[in-house]
Amino acid sequence: MGRSFASDNNTPVHPKIMQAIIEANKEDFVSYGDDPYTRRAEELLRHHFGAEAHPFLVFTGTAANVLGLSAVLSPYHAVIAPATSHINVDECGALENITGSKLLTVPTTDGKLTPSQAAPFLHALGVEHHAQPRVISITQPTELGTVYSQAEIKELAVFAHDNGLYLHMDGARLANAAAFLHTSLKDITADAGVDILSFGGTKNGMMFGESVILFSKKAASSFKYIRKQGMQLGSKMRYLAAQFIAYLNDHLWLKNAEHANTMARILAEKAALLPGAEIFQPVETNGVFLRLPHKAIKPLQEKSFFYVWDEEAGEVRWMTSYDTTEKDIDEFIAEARAVLQEIHEGH
Amino acid sequence: MGRSFASDNNTPVHPKIMQAIIEANKEDFVSYGDDPYTRRAEELLRHHFGAEAHPFLVFTGTAANVLGLSAVLSPYHAVIAPATSHINVDECGALENITGSKLLTVPTTDGKLTPSQAAPFLHALGVEHHAQPRVISITQPTELGTVYSQAEIKELAVFAHDNGLYLHMDGARLANAAAFLHTSLKDITADAGVDILSFGGTKNGMMFGESVILFSKKAASSFKYIRKQGMQLGSKMRYLAAQFIAYLNDHLWLKNAEHANTMARILAEKAALLPGAEIFQPVETNGVFLRLPHKAIKPLQEKSFFYVWDEEAGEVRWMTSYDTTEKDIDEFIAEARAVLQEIHEGH
Amino acid sequence: MGRSFASDNNTPVHPKIMQAIIEANKEDFVSYGDDPYTRRAEELLRHHFGAEAHPFLVFTGTAANVLGLSAVLSPYHAVIAPATSHINVDECGALENITGSKLLTVPTTDGKLTPSQAAPFLHALGVEHHAQPRVISITQPTELGTVYSQAEIKELAVFAHDNGLYLHMDGARLANAAAFLHTSLKDITADAGVDILSFGGTKNGMMFGESVILFSKKAASSFKYIRKQGMQLGSKMRYLAAQFIAYLNDHLWLKNAEHANTMARILAEKAALLPGAEIFQPVETNGVFLRLPHKAIKPLQEKSFFYVWDEEAGEVRWMTSYDTTEKDIDEFIAEARAVLQEIHEGH
Amino acid sequence: MGRSFASDNNTPVHPKIMQAIIEANKEDFVSYGDDPYTRRAEELLRHHFGAEAHPFLVFTGTAANVLGLSAVLSPYHAVIAPATSHINVDECGALENITGSKLLTVPTTDGKLTPSQAAPFLHALGVEHHAQPRVISITQPTELGTVYSQAEIKELAVFAHDNGLYLHMDGARLANAAAFLHTSLKDITADAGVDILSFGGTKNGMMFGESVILFSKKAASSFKYIRKQGMQLGSKMRYLAAQFIAYLNDHLWLKNAEHANTMARILAEKAALLPGAEIFQPVETNGVFLRLPHKAIKPLQEKSFFYVWDEEAGEVRWMTSYDTTEKDIDEFIAEARAVLQEIHEGH
């Protein structure tokens, strides 16, 4: 099977990360995280996110989001998020089931939330008939590949904090946002006022493994119970930790993300020239969102699978990865051109 | 305190219902519903809703909605409902917490849902990343006072059933809808394809007491556990049952609803003439929805409290009840006129 | 139907309480508790339980227990309680479902818990694999009719507080315990260190209505959301409140409880003389627990229903109420004697 | 760090399993399990557990237990299990929180449940006040290392099915039980009447990875949603699958388990001769349970960490693994002897 543009989680594990796993496989270690690999991974996460960061390793991105949010939610709380957010659309209702809390969603054009969009929900504060807004949750980069500037995040954080709310960030692809903005990971999280972060690795070269980073000692104090009860405490934790060590060393996270972003720009440039294709989101990270003629979608998926974003609108998503090559792009674009031209001529 | 237009739950208990409570207070009866009053109330509910109706008495409308829906929901399910629905807005997130399920909400202009608005959510069916739509929930009459015709309900039921979904109806004010449509209660529930019904009494003359009516034997078979675990099994059930007996006898439910509806029409006619007031929903049941100048709202609330429906838009709700009099209306309208004129002249 | 010894919730409403309900039925009042009846009931509850008491009215005893406990529980917490406790046995698993928390149960001989029985569970504290003990929950009087002394409650409270836990009391029949101990309600709750109390009325003459009393401002601050989301916010709250006003005025709570306790002592004296009957718990409040020959139970239940406490052991429960008469007792004892003698002679 | 007797999850990954992971790391594959590795692992699981087996891969043992049970539980249900069960003691209350269901626990001497111990709970069936028993859950081998015979499992399955209940088996170490009994995996699961199985690999040489095996098509039909909502759907599923392929090929599961069991027998023989040590459970699989003088426990843990099983009783657990050597045993026994003799002489 050739490289796919379906998702950045179709890739194999990056060789340096695989090497780290192999090297961690030498002897016995105490389980559940009381081992030197986990301690080192936590150190590196604090190095990148600041001394106030309390990191916890988990297996999946859904777990990172839902359990991270659990740290500050009671069941009568609500989370304000863009309608496109992964927690709303792609986690099978895990947030509602695991936390009991409500999602209050906002339609957006680009996946990005603004304080003024969140503001009307705050009328509910103090009124017992309504779930109580407690967290604003954003995705960086968004599910549409767009990126919040540091200033935009700060503005949301100030708005949240001024109203007694927390700011959560789903950073499943945070590296791609930092690569786009030329900032550190800390600039757009801790330093921008984020309280709870999901920092992912699986989509950028890891085998499995995400982290919850809590920037509040109080929230962190009971998180070990939330992780265990949330069925996410790995016994052989070192294999999660070893991946994060390799990922955070030598800027591997950044190199991988920069490569994926670059490939997306190239893909977008070529896709823009395809007959009948229209790119409808700025290409800031590693996703290209475009409208295709409805008739073209199925034939092209059969050649190389990708996800449809909006059935009615004919919107699709093409993703690049740390291992995408220009040759992959050229082959894929050639296939797409063939399909689109055939349809065009069919009219 | 004079009669209020804040809500139809500000009223005292209707004298006939109070009389029924007093008469039920004569001797010992077995608790938890194994008594002749409960059996009689259930018979009457089956008389009104059909032999396939399985009725269960509970204390609050929120409980009726949430527990009724529980009967067919697993946590990975979702409920499609208008954004204005009571289960979405006014139950403090009880549905999400008690059932674990997700709400998928649809913005509407009049509180009414159509099959074509629900249809896009069905792309999720069969895809594990998404909560699985399981129920369409409507309110009859809606939270905006509008009424679905029997044909509209049937169309939603057919759409739901064709796609393997159930149709739930929040009938907290069902009597008012039946009064408007000149139909029986059964015409717009069992005979229109409703699977799960909340049938309320508190807003139409009862002291407390709502009912869950399940039109499926299977869903009903385990509901007694859901009610008990849902903290809604009354020990002295007869006092719930006695109210329903009085309510369903001699068309009390209908007479009360007709009166409230008539009062709303009169209120609306007079409100329409107020300077600066604009009625923005058809007045089909016992609520009048109108826009007022922002400045007028607080002073008028201070004279006679009512709820603001939309802060930003200056939309408010005035409700009539089974005991509203024309005199109440005239006094209230006079107060409103005074406030509005003062504001008008202030400009 | 004659008066039953099945449960103290088979009784009608006490006339003074019914009168209070009727008197509350005169005019419109704002709903959801913002009315003078609710304010007066809350005042009286503070009068009886102390200025630090934060009272909230709900409909059922299960709700009072479960929602009261919710005020201090996160899902990774556990509640230590006697195995016989109502929250463990008779609430259809509501605690686990509504709070997500775990019950850690202790077998006892008399329904009463001691610190030394709770102590082994505290090894779990701080260890992420185990649900974290957070509350000790006791029932006063116990489900076996026995009563904790003030000193015993204090000892449990000190033990709980020393270990960072709360003390919860299920006081569905608290009046009967106070009557037995000749103490005030406050002596054995606030003054003994209880943090969360369910104070019931339905089993002692009310129509419906229980209260959650929180002795912590912090726990109380969010309880209004817990009550609403817990589907227990009554709209016409005054009818709950009016009952509590009548119940707490003029020592009605105490007179009713004293009467029920006295009747239980008389019943026990007479039951002790029945052939083959053996009373196995001290009769301190209004329940008589006795062992009967297995063969006698069904025939006697058919004459006058009561609950079997332990099928295997042939243990049954007979309850007296505020309205039990000596004539009721004599008739019931005569029936029991007839059944037991027939069985005895059958051997 | 030397090899530990703390737990069989302290080991590194078995070389053959690591090799399989490396070989799976060659190219892109569709995520979420639609890949040839996952299909092959599922085939092999059906080969070992029968054509009626519906396997699902997850990350942790807690997830396998809790989500597997979710497949047949509604919140008003209860699970009957030995008090020592992992779901009761070691999963931080995950079952209660994730499913809402209640655990009904039975004290045992050897971790094994019998039908007669479960029977008294069945009085609850049909009575709305009580959580409804729905599943009997056993662990094979038990948390005390003891093993149910096929006949014992069959007897429990017949008892469960006759009463409308399911039989669940926590098989985190199922391989060790099969090795002890000289049976196939199927003999003591599908063929003995087990309905839901957790089949683990992490404790027997895998990196991470457990499986839920459902022997009911109906339960399996919605499990994909339960797994995703349960935050256990791995995107790069092939790395879970590749491990199972290696584990199930060439009897690796059996060879590893036989070795661990043999080492435990040798450890037990030598431990039995230690001064003051008393083995209190039959050593049937890879755990040795023994009582030690209280004073000896801490000094010995400091030399080589292991878990205390019962603080009060001075009971500890020593586990062997697929990679334990006789040399490890001899070193550990020598350390233990030194500590115990010193204490003995101290008296």
Side-chain angles (χ1 to χ4, degrees):
Chain A
M1 178 181 159
R3 276 191 205 89
S4 145
F5 292 83
S7 179
D8 39 8
N9 63 22
N10 286 202
T11 61
V13 181
H14 189 278
K16 288 193 178 169
I17 292 173
M18 185 58 90
Q19 192 53 38
I21 289 173
I22 292 166
E23 282 167 18
N25 199 41
K26 300 245 162 90
E27 48 177 330
D28 274 30
F29 283 105
V30 172
S31 45
Y32 303 117
D34 188 11
D35 66 82
Y37 294 93
T38 305
R39 280 188 284 276
R40 178 65 185 141
E42 290 173 357
E43 264 172 41
L44 281 168
L45 286 163
R46 276 193 297 270
H47 172 75
H48 280 280
F49 290 100
E52 302 305 307
H54 299 266
F56 295 85
L57 309 186
V58 298
F59 288 102
T60 70
T62 295
N65 284 335
V66 172
L67 299 185
L69 286 162
S70 288
V72 298
L73 290 173
S74 287
Y76 54 82
H77 285 139
V79 176
I80 302 170
T84 46
S85 63
H86 202 263
I87 53 169
N88 185 42
V89 177
D90 286 310
E91 302 186 354
C92 199
L95 182 83
E96 287 91 338
N97 188 33
I98 303 294
T99 70
S101 299
K102 190 179 191 65
L103 263 167
L104 299 169
T105 61
V106 179
T108 70
T109 51
D110 57 0
K112 288 167 65 177
L113 188 74
T114 63
S116 66
Q117 289 171 312
F121 291 112
L122 303 189
H123 293 307
L125 286 171
V127 183
E128 69 199 321
H129 300 281
H130 311 314
Q132 296 295 295
R134 174 77 159 174
V135 181
I136 292 174
S137 176
I138 60 174
T139 308
Q140 169 79 322
T142 71
E143 290 77 5
L144 288 161
T146 53
V147 175
Y148 293 86
S149 69
Q150 198 206 33
E152 287 170 330
I153 299 167
K154 275 186 176 166
E155 195 193 1
L156 279 161
V158 168
F159 174 79
H161 299 160
D162 282 354
N163 288 287
L165 278 68
Y166 293 94
L167 182 62
H168 169 259
M169 180 181 279
D170 176 351
R173 296 184 178 96
L174 188 68
N176 302 81
F180 172 74
L181 293 169
H182 302 292
T183 62
S184 72
L185 294 169
K186 187 159 172 274
D187 285 341
I188 51 174
T189 56
D191 291 353
V194 170
D195 300 296
I196 306 160
L197 172 70
S198 297
F199 174 56
T202 314
K203 293 177 194 295
N204 198 24
M206 282 173 51
M207 183 187 288
F208 60 94
E210 311 283 314
S211 56
V212 175
I213 315 225
L214 301 171
F215 295 101
S216 144
K217 203 174 173 179
K218 186 165 175 291
S221 68
S222 56
F223 195 77
K224 66 177 180 174
Y225 309 114
I226 291 174
R227 178 173 63 177
K228 173 62 191 178
Q229 193 181 47
M231 309 176 293
Q232 289 285 329
L233 177 62
S235 58
K236 297 181 175 176
M237 188 79 88
R238 65 175 123 158
Y239 299 102
L240 271 164
Q243 294 183 66
F244 271 103
I245 296 168
Y247 186 61
L248 292 171
N249 265 332
D250 277 337
H251 301 97
L252 181 60
W253 63 273
L254 182 58
K255 292 172 194 165
N256 283 358
E258 281 174 343
H259 178 83
N261 287 3
T262 302
M263 290 298 110
R265 279 198 301 278
I266 295 172
L267 174 63
E269 282 162 21
K270 298 188 175 181
L273 306 174
L274 289 171
E278 181 196 1
I279 295 177
F280 68 92
Q281 291 290 342
V283 178
E284 299 182 342
T285 49
N286 66 324
V288 179
F289 287 78
L290 62 176
R291 282 190 207 95
L292 293 180
H294 280 87
K295 276 186 183 173
I297 294 174
K298 200 152 247 171
L300 187 48
Q301 278 179 317
E302 275 159 20
K303 301 213 172 202
S304 181
F305 181 74
F306 53 84
Y307 290 97
V308 172
W309 196 252
D310 185 313
E311 295 267 359
E312 280 73 17
E315 295 174 359
V316 306
R317 185 191 75 167
W318 293 347
M319 301 291 293
T320 56
S321 305
Y322 81 87
D323 69 346
T324 304
T325 64
E326 289 203 51
K327 186 162 162 285
D328 297 327
I329 292 172
D330 290 340
E331 286 171 12
F332 181 63
I333 288 288
E335 284 174 348
R337 172 160 292 116
V339 166
L340 286 162
Q341 268 171 352
E342 198 174 328
I343 281 162
H344 192 250
E345 285 156 15
H347 279 278
Chain B
M1 178 181 158
R3 277 193 204 88
S4 145
F5 292 83
S7 178
D8 38 8
N9 62 21
N10 286 202
T11 62
V13 181
H14 190 279
K16 287 193 178 168
I17 291 172
M18 185 57 92
Q19 192 54 37
I21 289 174
I22 292 166
E23 282 167 19
N25 199 42
K26 300 246 161 86
E27 48 178 331
D28 273 30
F29 282 106
V30 172
S31 46
Y32 302 117
D34 189 12
D35 66 81
Y37 294 92
T38 305
R39 280 188 285 278
R40 178 65 186 144
E42 289 173 357
E43 264 172 41
L44 281 168
L45 286 163
R46 275 192 298 272
H47 172 74
H48 279 279
F49 290 99
E52 302 305 308
H54 299 267
F56 295 84
L57 309 186
V58 297
F59 287 100
T60 69
T62 295
N65 284 335
V66 172
L67 299 185
L69 285 162
S70 288
V72 298
L73 291 173
S74 287
Y76 53 83
H77 284 139
V79 176
I80 302 169
T84 46
S85 63
H86 202 263
I87 53 171
N88 184 43
V89 177
D90 286 310
E91 302 186 353
C92 199
L95 182 82
E96 287 91 339
N97 187 32
I98 304 292
T99 71
S101 299
K102 189 178 190 66
L103 263 167
L104 299 169
T105 60
V106 179
T108 70
T109 51
D110 58 0
K112 289 167 67 178
L113 187 74
T114 62
S116 66
Q117 289 170 312
F121 291 113
L122 303 189
H123 293 308
L125 287 171
V127 182
E128 69 200 319
H129 299 280
H130 312 314
Q132 297 293 297
R134 173 75 159 177
V135 181
I136 291 174
S137 177
I138 60 174
T139 308
Q140 169 79 324
T142 71
E143 290 77 6
L144 289 161
T146 53
V147 175
Y148 293 87
S149 69
Q150 196 206 35
E152 287 170 330
I153 299 166
K154 275 186 176 167
E155 197 193 0
L156 278 160
V158 167
F159 174 79
H161 299 160
D162 283 354
N163 288 288
L165 277 70
Y166 293 94
L167 182 62
H168 169 259
M169 179 181 279
D170 176 351
R173 296 184 179 96
L174 189 67
N176 301 81
F180 172 73
L181 292 170
H182 302 292
T183 62
S184 72
L185 294 169
K186 187 160 173 273
D187 284 342
I188 51 174
T189 56
D191 291 353
V194 170
D195 300 297
I196 306 161
L197 173 69
S198 297
F199 174 56
T202 313
K203 292 177 194 296
N204 197 24
M206 280 172 52
M207 183 186 288
F208 61 94
E210 310 283 313
S211 56
V212 175
I213 315 226
L214 301 171
F215 295 102
S216 145
K217 204 174 171 179
K218 186 165 174 292
S221 68
S222 56
F223 194 77
K224 67 178 179 175
Y225 308 114
I226 290 174
R227 178 173 62 178
K228 173 63 192 178
Q229 193 180 46
M231 310 176 292
Q232 289 286 329
L233 178 62
S235 58
K236 296 180 175 176
M237 187 79 87
R238 65 176 123 159
Y239 299 101
L240 271 164
Q243 294 183 67
F244 271 104
I245 295 170
Y247 187 61
L248 292 171
N249 265 332
D250 277 337
H251 300 97
L252 181 60
W253 63 273
L254 182 59
K255 291 172 195 165
N256 283 0
E258 279 174 344
H259 179 82
N261 287 4
T262 300
M263 290 298 110
R265 278 197 303 276
I266 293 171
L267 174 64
E269 282 163 19
K270 298 188 174 181
L273 305 174
L274 291 170
E278 181 196 359
I279 295 177
F280 68 93
Q281 291 290 342
V283 179
E284 298 181 343
T285 50
N286 65 324
V288 179
F289 287 79
L290 62 175
R291 281 189 207 97
L292 293 179
H294 280 88
K295 280 187 181 173
I297 293 176
K298 202 152 246 173
L300 188 46
Q301 280 179 317
E302 275 160 21
K303 302 217 171 199
S304 182
F305 181 73
F306 53 84
Y307 290 97
V308 173
W309 195 252
D310 184 313
E311 295 267 358
E312 280 74 15
E315 296 173 359
V316 306
R317 185 190 75 167
W318 294 348
M319 301 291 294
T320 56
S321 307
Y322 81 88
D323 68 347
T324 304
T325 64
E326 288 203 52
K327 184 163 163 287
D328 296 328
I329 292 172
D330 290 340
E331 286 171 11
F332 182 63
I333 288 288
E335 285 174 346
R337 173 160 290 118
V339 167
L340 286 162
Q341 268 171 353
E342 197 175 328
I343 280 162
H344 192 251
E345 286 157 14
H347 279 276
Chain C
M1 178 180 159
R3 277 193 204 87
S4 147
F5 292 83
S7 178
D8 40 7
N9 63 20
N10 286 201
T11 61
V13 180
H14 189 279
K16 288 192 177 168
I17 292 172
M18 185 58 91
Q19 192 53 38
I21 289 174
I22 293 167
E23 282 167 18
N25 199 42
K26 299 247 161 88
E27 48 177 329
D28 275 28
F29 281 106
V30 171
S31 45
Y32 302 118
D34 189 11
D35 65 82
Y37 293 93
T38 305
R39 280 188 284 276
R40 177 66 184 142
E42 289 172 358
E43 265 172 41
L44 281 168
L45 286 164
R46 275 192 298 270
H47 172 76
H48 280 279
F49 290 100
E52 301 306 307
H54 299 266
F56 296 85
L57 309 187
V58 298
F59 287 101
T60 70
T62 295
N65 283 334
V66 173
L67 299 185
L69 286 161
S70 289
V72 298
L73 291 173
S74 287
Y76 54 83
H77 285 139
V79 177
I80 302 171
T84 46
S85 63
H86 201 264
I87 53 170
N88 185 41
V89 177
D90 285 311
E91 302 185 354
C92 200
L95 182 82
E96 288 91 338
N97 188 32
I98 303 293
T99 70
S101 299
K102 189 178 191 65
L103 263 167
L104 299 169
T105 61
V106 179
T108 70
T109 52
D110 58 359
K112 289 168 65 179
L113 188 75
T114 63
S116 67
Q117 290 171 312
F121 291 112
L122 303 189
H123 293 307
L125 286 171
V127 183
E128 68 200 321
H129 299 281
H130 311 314
Q132 297 295 296
R134 174 78 159 173
V135 182
I136 292 175
S137 175
I138 60 173
T139 309
Q140 170 78 323
T142 71
E143 289 77 4
L144 289 161
T146 53
V147 175
Y148 292 86
S149 70
Q150 198 207 34
E152 287 170 329
I153 299 166
K154 275 186 176 167
E155 197 193 0
L156 279 161
V158 168
F159 174 79
H161 299 160
D162 282 354
N163 288 287
L165 279 69
Y166 293 94
L167 182 62
H168 169 260
M169 180 180 280
D170 176 351
R173 295 183 180 97
L174 188 68
N176 301 82
F180 172 74
L181 293 169
H182 301 292
T183 62
S184 73
L185 294 169
K186 187 160 172 274
D187 285 341
I188 52 173
T189 56
D191 291 353
V194 170
D195 301 296
I196 305 160
L197 173 69
S198 297
F199 174 56
T202 314
K203 292 177 193 297
N204 198 25
M206 281 171 52
M207 184 186 287
F208 60 93
E210 311 282 315
S211 56
V212 175
I213 314 225
L214 301 171
F215 296 101
S216 144
K217 202 173 174 180
K218 186 164 175 291
S221 68
S222 56
F223 194 77
K224 65 178 181 175
Y225 309 114
I226 291 174
R227 178 173 63 177
K228 173 64 192 179
Q229 192 181 46
M231 309 176 293
Q232 289 286 329
L233 177 62
S235 57
K236 296 181 174 175
M237 187 79 88
R238 65 174 124 160
Y239 299 101
L240 271 163
Q243 295 182 66
F244 271 103
I245 296 169
Y247 186 61
L248 292 171
N249 266 333
D250 278 336
H251 300 97
L252 181 60
W253 64 273
L254 182 59
K255 292 172 194 165
N256 283 358
E258 281 174 344
H259 178 83
N261 287 4
T262 301
M263 290 297 111
R265 280 198 301 278
I266 294 173
L267 174 64
E269 282 162 22
K270 298 187 175 182
L273 305 174
L274 290 172
E278 182 196 359
I279 295 176
F280 69 92
Q281 291 290 343
V283 178
E284 299 182 343
T285 48
N286 65 325
V288 179
F289 287 78
L290 63 175
R291 281 189 208 97
L292 293 180
H294 280 87
K295 277 186 182 172
I297 293 175
K298 202 152 245 174
L300 187 46
Q301 279 179 316
E302 276 160 19
K303 300 213 172 202
S304 183
F305 181 73
F306 54 83
Y307 290 97
V308 172
W309 195 253
D310 185 314
E311 295 266 358
E312 280 74 16
E315 296 173 359
V316 306
R317 185 190 75 167
W318 294 347
M319 300 293 292
T320 56
S321 305
Y322 81 88
D323 69 346
T324 304
T325 65
E326 289 203 50
K327 185 164 163 285
D328 296 328
I329 293 172
D330 290 340
E331 285 172 12
F332 181 63
I333 288 288
E335 285 174 347
R337 173 160 291 118
V339 167
L340 286 162
Q341 268 171 351
E342 199 175 326
I343 280 162
H344 192 250
E345 286 157 12
H347 280 276
Chain D
M1 178 180 158
R3 274 191 207 90
S4 146
F5 293 83
S7 179
D8 39 7
N9 63 22
N10 285 201
T11 61
V13 182
H14 189 277
K16 288 193 177 169
I17 291 172
M18 185 58 91
Q19 192 53 38
I21 288 174
I22 293 166
E23 282 167 19
N25 199 42
K26 300 247 160 87
E27 47 178 332
D28 274 30
F29 282 106
V30 172
S31 47
Y32 302 118
D34 189 12
D35 67 80
Y37 293 93
T38 305
R39 281 189 283 277
R40 178 64 185 144
E42 289 173 357
E43 264 172 40
L44 281 167
L45 286 164
R46 275 192 298 271
H47 172 74
H48 280 278
F49 289 100
E52 302 305 309
H54 299 266
F56 296 84
L57 309 187
V58 298
F59 287 101
T60 69
T62 294
N65 283 336
V66 172
L67 299 185
L69 284 162
S70 289
V72 298
L73 290 173
S74 287
Y76 54 83
H77 284 139
V79 176
I80 302 170
T84 46
S85 63
H86 202 263
I87 53 170
N88 184 43
V89 177
D90 287 309
E91 302 187 353
C92 199
L95 182 82
E96 287 91 338
N97 187 32
I98 304 292
T99 71
S101 299
K102 190 178 190 66
L103 262 167
L104 299 169
T105 61
V106 179
T108 71
T109 51
D110 58 359
K112 288 167 65 178
L113 187 74
T114 63
S116 66
Q117 290 171 312
F121 291 113
L122 303 189
H123 293 308
L125 287 171
V127 182
E128 69 200 318
H129 299 280
H130 311 314
Q132 297 293 296
R134 174 76 159 176
V135 181
I136 292 174
S137 175
I138 60 175
T139 308
Q140 170 78 322
T142 71
E143 289 77 6
L144 289 161
T146 55
V147 175
Y148 292 87
S149 69
Q150 196 206 34
E152 287 171 329
I153 299 166
K154 276 186 176 166
E155 197 193 1
L156 278 160
V158 167
F159 173 79
H161 299 160
D162 283 354
N163 288 288
L165 277 69
Y166 293 94
L167 183 62
H168 169 260
M169 180 181 280
D170 176 350
R173 296 183 179 97
L174 188 67
N176 301 79
F180 172 73
L181 293 170
H182 302 292
T183 62
S184 72
L185 294 169
K186 188 160 172 273
D187 284 342
I188 52 174
T189 55
D191 291 354
V194 170
D195 300 296
I196 305 160
L197 173 69
S198 297
F199 174 56
T202 313
K203 293 176 193 297
N204 198 24
M206 281 172 51
M207 184 186 287
F208 61 93
E210 311 283 314
S211 56
V212 175
I213 315 227
L214 301 171
F215 295 101
S216 145
K217 203 174 172 179
K218 186 165 173 292
S221 68
S222 55
F223 193 76
K224 66 178 180 176
Y225 308 114
I226 290 174
R227 178 173 61 179
K228 173 63 191 178
Q229 193 180 46
M231 310 176 291
Q232 289 286 329
L233 177 62
S235 58
K236 297 181 175 177
M237 187 79 86
R238 65 175 125 158
Y239 298 102
L240 270 164
Q243 294 182 67
F244 271 104
I245 295 169
Y247 187 61
L248 292 171
N249 266 333
D250 278 336
H251 300 97
L252 181 60
W253 64 273
L254 182 59
K255 291 172 194 165
N256 283 359
E258 280 174 344
H259 178 83
N261 287 3
T262 301
M263 290 298 110
R265 278 198 302 277
I266 293 171
L267 174 64
E269 281 163 21
K270 298 187 175 183
L273 305 174
L274 290 172
E278 181 196 1
I279 295 177
F280 67 93
Q281 291 289 342
V283 179
E284 298 181 343
T285 50
N286 66 323
V288 178
F289 287 80
L290 62 174
R291 281 189 208 96
L292 293 180
H294 280 87
K295 278 186 181 172
I297 293 175
K298 201 152 246 172
L300 187 46
Q301 279 179 317
E302 276 159 20
K303 302 216 170 200
S304 182
F305 181 73
F306 52 85
Y307 290 98
V308 173
W309 195 253
D310 184 313
E311 295 267 359
E312 280 74 15
E315 295 173 358
V316 306
R317 185 189 76 167
W318 293 347
M319 300 292 294
T320 56
S321 305
Y322 82 87
D323 68 347
T324 304
T325 64
E326 288 202 51
K327 185 163 163 285
D328 297 328
I329 292 172
D330 290 341
E331 287 172 12
F332 181 63
I333 288 288
E335 286 174 346
R337 173 160 291 118
V339 167
L340 286 162
Q341 268 171 353
E342 197 174 326
I343 280 162
H344 192 250
E345 286 156 13
H347 279 279

